[in-house]
mmCIF file of all heavy atoms in Angstrom:
data_model
loop_
_atom_site.group_PDB
_atom_site.id
_atom_site.type_symbol
_atom_site.label_atom_id
_atom_site.label_comp_id
_atom_site.label_asym_id
_atom_site.label_seq_id
_atom_site.Cartn_x
_atom_site.Cartn_y
_atom_site.Cartn_z
ATOM 1 N N ASP A 71 -8.084 22.304 -1.270
ATOM 2 C CA ASP A 71 -6.869 22.762 -1.929
ATOM 3 C C ASP A 71 -6.128 23.796 -1.094
ATOM 4 O O ASP A 71 -6.516 24.095 0.032
ATOM 5 C CB ASP A 71 -7.173 23.273 -3.346
ATOM 6 C CG ASP A 71 -7.925 24.600 -3.328
ATOM 7 O OD1 ASP A 71 -7.973 25.242 -2.267
ATOM 8 O OD2 ASP A 71 -8.479 24.974 -4.375
ATOM 9 N N PHE A 72 -5.069 24.307 -1.678
ATOM 10 C CA PHE A 72 -4.175 25.247 -0.991
ATOM 11 C C PHE A 72 -4.921 26.442 -0.413
ATOM 12 O O PHE A 72 -4.571 26.955 0.643
ATOM 13 C CB PHE A 72 -3.105 25.729 -1.978
ATOM 14 C CG PHE A 72 -2.114 26.678 -1.409
ATOM 15 C CD1 PHE A 72 -1.056 26.228 -0.637
ATOM 16 C CD2 PHE A 72 -2.226 28.042 -1.646
ATOM 17 C CE1 PHE A 72 -0.132 27.108 -0.117
ATOM 18 C CE2 PHE A 72 -1.311 28.934 -1.127
ATOM 19 C CZ PHE A 72 -0.254 28.460 -0.360
ATOM 20 N N TRP A 73 -5.970 26.886 -1.118
ATOM 21 C CA TRP A 73 -6.703 28.061 -0.664
ATOM 22 C C TRP A 73 -7.912 27.721 0.200
ATOM 23 O O TRP A 73 -8.707 28.589 0.529
ATOM 24 C CB TRP A 73 -7.139 28.898 -1.876
ATOM 25 C CG TRP A 73 -5.979 29.489 -2.593
ATOM 26 C CD1 TRP A 73 -5.408 30.700 -2.360
ATOM 27 C CD2 TRP A 73 -5.222 28.904 -3.649
ATOM 28 N NE1 TRP A 73 -4.349 30.891 -3.209
ATOM 29 C CE2 TRP A 73 -4.210 29.825 -4.003
ATOM 30 C CE3 TRP A 73 -5.298 27.673 -4.332
ATOM 31 C CZ2 TRP A 73 -3.278 29.544 -5.005
ATOM 32 C CZ3 TRP A 73 -4.373 27.412 -5.328
ATOM 33 C CH2 TRP A 73 -3.379 28.344 -5.654
ATOM 34 N N SER A 91 -6.795 2.951 -2.007
ATOM 35 C CA SER A 91 -5.579 3.312 -2.743
ATOM 36 C C SER A 91 -4.465 3.732 -1.787
ATOM 37 O O SER A 91 -3.290 3.545 -2.069
ATOM 38 C CB SER A 91 -5.867 4.438 -3.725
ATOM 39 O OG SER A 91 -6.757 4.001 -4.720
ATOM 40 N N ARG A 101 -4.473 12.744 0.491
ATOM 41 C CA ARG A 101 -4.675 14.081 -0.068
ATOM 42 C C ARG A 101 -6.147 14.439 -0.057
ATOM 43 O O ARG A 101 -6.567 15.437 -0.632
ATOM 44 C CB ARG A 101 -4.168 14.130 -1.503
ATOM 45 C CG ARG A 101 -2.695 13.888 -1.561
ATOM 46 C CD ARG A 101 -2.072 14.612 -2.704
ATOM 47 N NE ARG A 101 -0.907 13.866 -3.162
ATOM 48 C CZ ARG A 101 -0.267 14.119 -4.276
ATOM 49 N NH1 ARG A 101 -0.693 15.077 -5.058
ATOM 50 N NH2 ARG A 101 0.786 13.424 -4.620
ATOM 51 N N LEU A 121 -3.540 -9.201 3.903
ATOM 52 C CA LEU A 121 -2.471 -9.835 3.141
ATOM 53 C C LEU A 121 -1.770 -10.953 3.906
ATOM 54 O O LEU A 121 -1.324 -11.927 3.304
ATOM 55 C CB LEU A 121 -1.439 -8.776 2.733
ATOM 56 C CG LEU A 121 -1.922 -7.778 1.689
ATOM 57 C CD1 LEU A 121 -1.018 -6.569 1.639
ATOM 58 C CD2 LEU A 121 -1.969 -8.457 0.326
ATOM 59 N N THR A 132 -7.427 -15.513 0.064
ATOM 60 C CA THR A 132 -7.199 -15.458 -1.378
ATOM 61 C C THR A 132 -8.370 -14.778 -2.065
ATOM 62 O O THR A 132 -8.190 -13.903 -2.916
ATOM 63 C CB THR A 132 -7.021 -16.874 -1.945
ATOM 64 O OG1 THR A 132 -5.919 -17.478 -1.289
ATOM 65 C CG2 THR A 132 -6.767 -16.829 -3.431
ATOM 66 N N VAL A 135 -8.357 -10.973 -1.271
ATOM 67 C CA VAL A 135 -7.318 -10.274 -2.016
ATOM 68 C C VAL A 135 -7.687 -10.183 -3.494
ATOM 69 O O VAL A 135 -7.486 -9.149 -4.138
ATOM 70 C CB VAL A 135 -5.958 -10.984 -1.832
ATOM 71 C CG1 VAL A 135 -4.940 -10.451 -2.828
ATOM 72 C CG2 VAL A 135 -5.457 -10.792 -0.415
ATOM 73 N N SER A 142 -9.695 -2.672 -7.461
ATOM 74 C CA SER A 142 -8.684 -1.703 -7.826
ATOM 75 C C SER A 142 -8.525 -1.644 -9.341
ATOM 76 O O SER A 142 -8.442 -0.558 -9.926
ATOM 77 C CB SER A 142 -7.366 -2.076 -7.158
ATOM 78 O OG SER A 142 -6.403 -1.093 -7.369
ATOM 79 N N ALA A 143 -8.514 -2.803 -9.970
ATOM 80 C CA ALA A 143 -8.372 -2.874 -11.426
ATOM 81 C C ALA A 143 -9.561 -2.218 -12.112
ATOM 82 O O ALA A 143 -9.412 -1.498 -13.106
ATOM 83 C CB ALA A 143 -8.230 -4.323 -11.868
ATOM 84 N N ASN A 146 -9.373 1.430 -11.855
ATOM 85 C CA ASN A 146 -8.293 1.821 -12.755
ATOM 86 C C ASN A 146 -8.757 1.949 -14.201
ATOM 87 O O ASN A 146 -8.462 2.931 -14.872
ATOM 88 C CB ASN A 146 -7.234 0.728 -12.699
ATOM 89 C CG ASN A 146 -5.879 1.306 -12.483
ATOM 90 O OD1 ASN A 146 -5.449 2.119 -13.275
ATOM 91 N ND2 ASN A 146 -5.242 0.915 -11.401
ATOM 92 N N LEU A 149 -11.052 4.950 -14.659
ATOM 93 C CA LEU A 149 -10.303 6.207 -14.668
ATOM 94 C C LEU A 149 -9.546 6.391 -15.973
ATOM 95 O O LEU A 149 -9.559 7.473 -16.564
ATOM 96 C CB LEU A 149 -9.317 6.238 -13.495
ATOM 97 C CG LEU A 149 -9.900 6.374 -12.099
ATOM 98 C CD1 LEU A 149 -8.846 6.133 -11.032
ATOM 99 C CD2 LEU A 149 -10.516 7.754 -11.913
ATOM 100 N N ARG A 151 -10.212 5.141 -18.842
ATOM 101 C CA ARG A 151 -11.182 5.378 -19.907
ATOM 102 C C ARG A 151 -11.615 6.838 -19.917
ATOM 103 O O ARG A 151 -11.584 7.516 -20.939
ATOM 104 C CB ARG A 151 -12.386 4.475 -19.623
ATOM 105 C CG ARG A 151 -13.056 3.946 -20.835
ATOM 106 C CD ARG A 151 -13.865 2.731 -20.459
ATOM 107 N NE ARG A 151 -13.046 1.557 -20.239
ATOM 108 C CZ ARG A 151 -13.377 0.550 -19.456
ATOM 109 N NH1 ARG A 151 -14.506 0.586 -18.776
ATOM 110 N NH2 ARG A 151 -12.589 -0.490 -19.340
ATOM 111 N N LEU A 153 -10.165 9.366 -18.605
ATOM 112 C CA LEU A 153 -9.030 10.217 -18.923
ATOM 113 C C LEU A 153 -8.764 10.235 -20.419
ATOM 114 O O LEU A 153 -8.413 11.279 -20.986
ATOM 115 C CB LEU A 153 -7.795 9.713 -18.171
ATOM 116 C CG LEU A 153 -6.728 10.727 -17.811
ATOM 117 C CD1 LEU A 153 -7.324 11.954 -17.171
ATOM 118 C CD2 LEU A 153 -5.702 10.088 -16.893
ATOM 119 N N MET A 156 -11.180 12.633 -21.854
ATOM 120 C CA MET A 156 -10.976 14.013 -21.427
ATOM 121 C C MET A 156 -9.689 14.610 -21.945
ATOM 122 O O MET A 156 -9.552 15.826 -22.000
ATOM 123 C CB MET A 156 -11.003 14.089 -19.909
ATOM 124 C CG MET A 156 -12.388 13.811 -19.400
ATOM 125 S SD MET A 156 -12.707 14.541 -17.828
ATOM 126 C CE MET A 156 -11.539 15.836 -17.737
ATOM 127 N N SER A 170 -17.161 6.129 -29.435
ATOM 128 C CA SER A 170 -16.417 4.996 -29.989
ATOM 129 C C SER A 170 -16.209 3.924 -28.927
ATOM 130 O O SER A 170 -16.380 2.727 -29.175
ATOM 131 C CB SER A 170 -15.065 5.486 -30.510
ATOM 132 O OG SER A 170 -14.216 4.410 -30.813
ATOM 133 N N SER A 171 -15.854 4.382 -27.748
ATOM 134 C CA SER A 171 -15.639 3.455 -26.637
ATOM 135 C C SER A 171 -16.908 2.679 -26.300
ATOM 136 O O SER A 171 -16.897 1.465 -26.117
ATOM 137 C CB SER A 171 -15.142 4.249 -25.428
ATOM 138 O OG SER A 171 -15.325 3.531 -24.235
ATOM 139 N N SER A 173 -19.362 2.125 -28.266
ATOM 140 C CA SER A 173 -19.654 1.232 -29.385
ATOM 141 C C SER A 173 -18.857 -0.063 -29.275
ATOM 142 O O SER A 173 -19.374 -1.154 -29.526
ATOM 143 C CB SER A 173 -19.326 1.942 -30.696
ATOM 144 O OG SER A 173 -19.167 1.019 -31.743
ATOM 145 N N VAL A 175 -17.743 -1.408 -26.507
ATOM 146 C CA VAL A 175 -18.309 -2.183 -25.404
ATOM 147 C C VAL A 175 -19.530 -2.961 -25.882
ATOM 148 O O VAL A 175 -19.680 -4.154 -25.616
ATOM 149 C CB VAL A 175 -18.751 -1.268 -24.238
ATOM 150 C CG1 VAL A 175 -19.360 -2.095 -23.118
ATOM 151 C CG2 VAL A 175 -17.583 -0.470 -23.718
ATOM 152 N N ILE A 227 -17.707 7.291 -42.510
ATOM 153 C CA ILE A 227 -17.120 8.614 -42.343
ATOM 154 C C ILE A 227 -15.867 8.549 -41.479
ATOM 155 O O ILE A 227 -15.868 7.938 -40.424
ATOM 156 C CB ILE A 227 -18.132 9.575 -41.688
ATOM 157 C CG1 ILE A 227 -19.465 9.490 -42.394
ATOM 158 C CG2 ILE A 227 -17.591 10.981 -41.669
ATOM 159 C CD1 ILE A 227 -19.486 10.053 -43.781
ATOM 160 N N ILE A 229 -12.978 10.565 -39.221
ATOM 161 C CA ILE A 229 -12.890 11.783 -38.402
ATOM 162 C C ILE A 229 -12.089 12.841 -39.127
ATOM 163 O O ILE A 229 -10.959 12.601 -39.477
ATOM 164 C CB ILE A 229 -12.217 11.496 -37.043
ATOM 165 C CG1 ILE A 229 -13.028 10.468 -36.287
ATOM 166 C CG2 ILE A 229 -12.125 12.764 -36.206
ATOM 167 C CD1 ILE A 229 -12.474 10.150 -34.941
ATOM 168 N N ASP B 71 -9.772 3.192 -32.205
ATOM 169 C CA ASP B 71 -11.175 3.545 -32.007
ATOM 170 C C ASP B 71 -12.054 3.008 -33.126
ATOM 171 O O ASP B 71 -11.592 2.299 -34.016
ATOM 172 C CB ASP B 71 -11.347 5.064 -31.812
ATOM 173 C CG ASP B 71 -11.105 5.840 -33.102
ATOM 174 O OD1 ASP B 71 -11.083 5.226 -34.169
ATOM 175 O OD2 ASP B 71 -10.940 7.065 -33.014
ATOM 176 N N PHE B 72 -13.314 3.369 -33.053
ATOM 177 C CA PHE B 72 -14.324 2.872 -33.994
ATOM 178 C C PHE B 72 -13.933 3.109 -35.442
ATOM 179 O O PHE B 72 -14.243 2.311 -36.320
ATOM 180 C CB PHE B 72 -15.654 3.562 -33.678
ATOM 181 C CG PHE B 72 -16.802 3.141 -34.555
ATOM 182 C CD1 PHE B 72 -17.473 1.953 -34.321
ATOM 183 C CD2 PHE B 72 -17.196 3.937 -35.619
ATOM 184 C CE1 PHE B 72 -18.536 1.556 -35.120
ATOM 185 C CE2 PHE B 72 -18.253 3.547 -36.425
ATOM 186 C CZ PHE B 72 -18.929 2.357 -36.173
ATOM 187 N N TRP B 73 -13.257 4.232 -35.690
ATOM 188 C CA TRP B 73 -12.902 4.587 -37.054
ATOM 189 C C TRP B 73 -11.504 4.097 -37.459
ATOM 190 O O TRP B 73 -11.004 4.430 -38.516
ATOM 191 C CB TRP B 73 -13.010 6.099 -37.253
ATOM 192 C CG TRP B 73 -14.417 6.574 -37.170
ATOM 193 C CD1 TRP B 73 -15.298 6.685 -38.196
ATOM 194 C CD2 TRP B 73 -15.126 6.983 -35.999
ATOM 195 N NE1 TRP B 73 -16.501 7.133 -37.723
ATOM 196 C CE2 TRP B 73 -16.435 7.326 -36.400
ATOM 197 C CE3 TRP B 73 -14.772 7.078 -34.650
ATOM 198 C CZ2 TRP B 73 -17.399 7.757 -35.481
ATOM 199 C CZ3 TRP B 73 -15.724 7.499 -33.749
ATOM 200 C CH2 TRP B 73 -17.026 7.841 -34.176
ATOM 201 N N ASN B 75 -8.656 4.842 -35.870
ATOM 202 C CA ASN B 75 -7.574 5.747 -35.484
ATOM 203 C C ASN B 75 -6.808 5.163 -34.296
ATOM 204 O O ASN B 75 -7.415 4.765 -33.305
ATOM 205 C CB ASN B 75 -8.126 7.120 -35.099
ATOM 206 C CG ASN B 75 -8.952 7.720 -36.202
ATOM 207 O OD1 ASN B 75 -8.464 7.948 -37.297
ATOM 208 N ND2 ASN B 75 -10.236 7.938 -35.922
ATOM 209 N N SER B 91 -4.563 -4.455 -15.184
ATOM 210 C CA SER B 91 -5.953 -4.093 -14.882
ATOM 211 C C SER B 91 -6.925 -5.106 -15.477
ATOM 212 O O SER B 91 -8.001 -5.333 -14.938
ATOM 213 C CB SER B 91 -6.273 -2.697 -15.418
ATOM 214 O OG SER B 91 -5.493 -1.739 -14.734
ATOM 215 N N ARG B 101 -9.513 -3.367 -24.231
ATOM 216 C CA ARG B 101 -9.883 -2.278 -25.125
ATOM 217 C C ARG B 101 -8.651 -1.656 -25.740
ATOM 218 O O ARG B 101 -8.715 -0.618 -26.384
ATOM 219 C CB ARG B 101 -10.654 -1.212 -24.355
ATOM 220 C CG ARG B 101 -11.953 -1.754 -23.832
ATOM 221 C CD ARG B 101 -12.998 -0.700 -23.763
ATOM 222 N NE ARG B 101 -13.893 -0.971 -22.662
ATOM 223 C CZ ARG B 101 -14.776 -0.135 -22.200
ATOM 224 N NH1 ARG B 101 -14.875 1.059 -22.736
ATOM 225 N NH2 ARG B 101 -15.561 -0.458 -21.205
ATOM 226 N N LEU B 121 -2.285 -15.521 -7.099
ATOM 227 C CA LEU B 121 -3.214 -15.505 -5.967
ATOM 228 C C LEU B 121 -3.323 -16.841 -5.259
ATOM 229 O O LEU B 121 -3.526 -16.895 -4.050
ATOM 230 C CB LEU B 121 -4.607 -15.074 -6.454
ATOM 231 C CG LEU B 121 -4.712 -13.621 -6.900
ATOM 232 C CD1 LEU B 121 -5.953 -13.392 -7.733
ATOM 233 C CD2 LEU B 121 -4.699 -12.714 -5.677
ATOM 234 N N THR B 132 2.630 -13.546 -0.669
ATOM 235 C CA THR B 132 2.113 -12.375 0.032
ATOM 236 C C THR B 132 2.825 -11.122 -0.436
ATOM 237 O O THR B 132 2.202 -10.101 -0.730
ATOM 238 C CB THR B 132 2.309 -12.532 1.547
ATOM 239 O OG1 THR B 132 1.634 -13.709 1.959
ATOM 240 C CG2 THR B 132 1.751 -11.340 2.285
ATOM 241 N N VAL B 135 1.697 -10.253 -4.046
ATOM 242 C CA VAL B 135 0.352 -9.687 -4.071
ATOM 243 C C VAL B 135 0.367 -8.273 -3.505
ATOM 244 O O VAL B 135 -0.288 -7.370 -4.029
ATOM 245 C CB VAL B 135 -0.624 -10.576 -3.282
ATOM 246 C CG1 VAL B 135 -1.929 -9.855 -3.051
ATOM 247 C CG2 VAL B 135 -0.853 -11.880 -4.024
ATOM 248 N N SER B 142 -1.088 -1.137 -8.321
ATOM 249 C CA SER B 142 -2.425 -0.770 -8.761
ATOM 250 C C SER B 142 -2.900 0.488 -8.041
ATOM 251 O O SER B 142 -3.459 1.398 -8.652
ATOM 252 C CB SER B 142 -3.382 -1.932 -8.502
ATOM 253 O OG SER B 142 -4.651 -1.659 -9.039
ATOM 254 N N ALA B 143 -2.643 0.548 -6.740
ATOM 255 C CA ALA B 143 -3.048 1.703 -5.943
ATOM 256 C C ALA B 143 -2.306 2.951 -6.397
ATOM 257 O O ALA B 143 -2.889 4.037 -6.498
ATOM 258 C CB ALA B 143 -2.789 1.437 -4.468
ATOM 259 N N ASN B 146 -3.671 4.173 -9.579
ATOM 260 C CA ASN B 146 -4.966 4.730 -9.244
ATOM 261 C C ASN B 146 -4.871 6.162 -8.737
ATOM 262 O O ASN B 146 -5.613 7.041 -9.186
ATOM 263 C CB ASN B 146 -5.570 3.873 -8.139
ATOM 264 C CG ASN B 146 -6.969 3.480 -8.457
ATOM 265 O OD1 ASN B 146 -7.796 4.352 -8.663
ATOM 266 N ND2 ASN B 146 -7.212 2.195 -8.534
ATOM 267 N N LEU B 149 -3.853 8.559 -11.509
ATOM 268 C CA LEU B 149 -4.963 8.828 -12.422
ATOM 269 C C LEU B 149 -5.979 9.765 -11.790
ATOM 270 O O LEU B 149 -6.442 10.720 -12.415
ATOM 271 C CB LEU B 149 -5.647 7.521 -12.823
ATOM 272 C CG LEU B 149 -4.875 6.590 -13.748
ATOM 273 C CD1 LEU B 149 -5.558 5.244 -13.858
ATOM 274 C CD2 LEU B 149 -4.723 7.216 -15.127
ATOM 275 N N ARG B 151 -5.524 11.917 -9.467
ATOM 276 C CA ARG B 151 -4.920 13.229 -9.327
ATOM 277 C C ARG B 151 -4.996 13.991 -10.648
ATOM 278 O O ARG B 151 -5.468 15.121 -10.704
ATOM 279 C CB ARG B 151 -3.454 13.022 -8.938
ATOM 280 C CG ARG B 151 -2.886 14.065 -8.076
ATOM 281 C CD ARG B 151 -1.674 13.513 -7.377
ATOM 282 N NE ARG B 151 -2.006 12.547 -6.320
ATOM 283 C CZ ARG B 151 -1.199 11.580 -5.909
ATOM 284 N NH1 ARG B 151 -0.044 11.402 -6.500
ATOM 285 N NH2 ARG B 151 -1.570 10.794 -4.926
ATOM 286 N N LEU B 153 -6.902 13.428 -13.142
ATOM 287 C CA LEU B 153 -8.298 13.662 -13.492
ATOM 288 C C LEU B 153 -8.860 14.860 -12.740
ATOM 289 O O LEU B 153 -9.641 15.645 -13.297
ATOM 290 C CB LEU B 153 -9.116 12.407 -13.184
ATOM 291 C CG LEU B 153 -10.360 12.154 -14.013
ATOM 292 C CD1 LEU B 153 -10.079 12.305 -15.488
ATOM 293 C CD2 LEU B 153 -10.896 10.770 -13.712
ATOM 294 N N MET B 156 -7.703 17.871 -14.568
ATOM 295 C CA MET B 156 -8.251 17.996 -15.910
ATOM 296 C C MET B 156 -9.744 18.260 -15.929
ATOM 297 O O MET B 156 -10.285 18.732 -16.926
ATOM 298 C CB MET B 156 -7.943 16.740 -16.712
ATOM 299 C CG MET B 156 -6.469 16.641 -16.981
ATOM 300 S SD MET B 156 -6.081 15.747 -18.455
ATOM 301 C CE MET B 156 -7.579 15.764 -19.360
ATOM 302 N N SER B 170 -1.666 23.677 -6.495
ATOM 303 C CA SER B 170 -2.113 23.448 -5.129
ATOM 304 C C SER B 170 -1.741 22.039 -4.681
ATOM 305 O O SER B 170 -1.255 21.821 -3.572
ATOM 306 C CB SER B 170 -3.621 23.646 -5.045
ATOM 307 O OG SER B 170 -4.106 23.184 -3.806
ATOM 308 N N SER B 171 -1.953 21.096 -5.563
ATOM 309 C CA SER B 171 -1.631 19.701 -5.266
ATOM 310 C C SER B 171 -0.130 19.525 -5.010
ATOM 311 O O SER B 171 0.277 18.872 -4.050
ATOM 312 C CB SER B 171 -2.088 18.831 -6.436
ATOM 313 O OG SER B 171 -1.428 17.598 -6.438
ATOM 314 N N SER B 173 1.889 21.798 -4.046
ATOM 315 C CA SER B 173 2.215 22.489 -2.804
ATOM 316 C C SER B 173 1.923 21.605 -1.589
ATOM 317 O O SER B 173 2.703 21.565 -0.637
ATOM 318 C CB SER B 173 1.410 23.778 -2.719
ATOM 319 O OG SER B 173 1.340 24.243 -1.393
ATOM 320 N N VAL B 175 1.898 18.333 -1.570
ATOM 321 C CA VAL B 175 2.902 17.267 -1.538
ATOM 322 C C VAL B 175 4.169 17.763 -0.864
ATOM 323 O O VAL B 175 4.741 17.108 0.002
ATOM 324 C CB VAL B 175 3.262 16.791 -2.967
ATOM 325 C CG1 VAL B 175 4.331 15.707 -2.914
ATOM 326 C CG2 VAL B 175 2.033 16.287 -3.680
ATOM 327 N N ILE B 227 -4.222 35.484 -1.309
ATOM 328 C CA ILE B 227 -5.159 35.679 -2.411
ATOM 329 C C ILE B 227 -6.121 34.501 -2.532
ATOM 330 O O ILE B 227 -5.710 33.350 -2.515
ATOM 331 C CB ILE B 227 -4.384 35.829 -3.741
ATOM 332 C CG1 ILE B 227 -3.270 36.839 -3.579
ATOM 333 C CG2 ILE B 227 -5.322 36.194 -4.861
ATOM 334 C CD1 ILE B 227 -3.714 38.257 -3.454
#
Side-chain angles (χ1 to χ4, degrees):
Chain A
D71 71 14
F72 181 79
W73 293 270
S91 295
R101 297 211 210 169
L121 291 164
T132 301
V135 168
S142 186
N146 229 302
L149 290 169
R151 214 160 284 153
L153 208 48
M156 291 206 22
S170 169
S171 161
S173 161
V175 179
I227 311 290
I229 300 181
Chain B
D71 71 15
F72 181 79
W73 293 270
N75 304 300
S91 295
R101 296 211 212 168
L121 291 163
T132 301
V135 168
S142 186
N146 229 302
L149 289 170
R151 212 159 287 154
L153 208 48
M156 292 207 19
S170 169
S171 160
S173 160
V175 179
I227 311 289

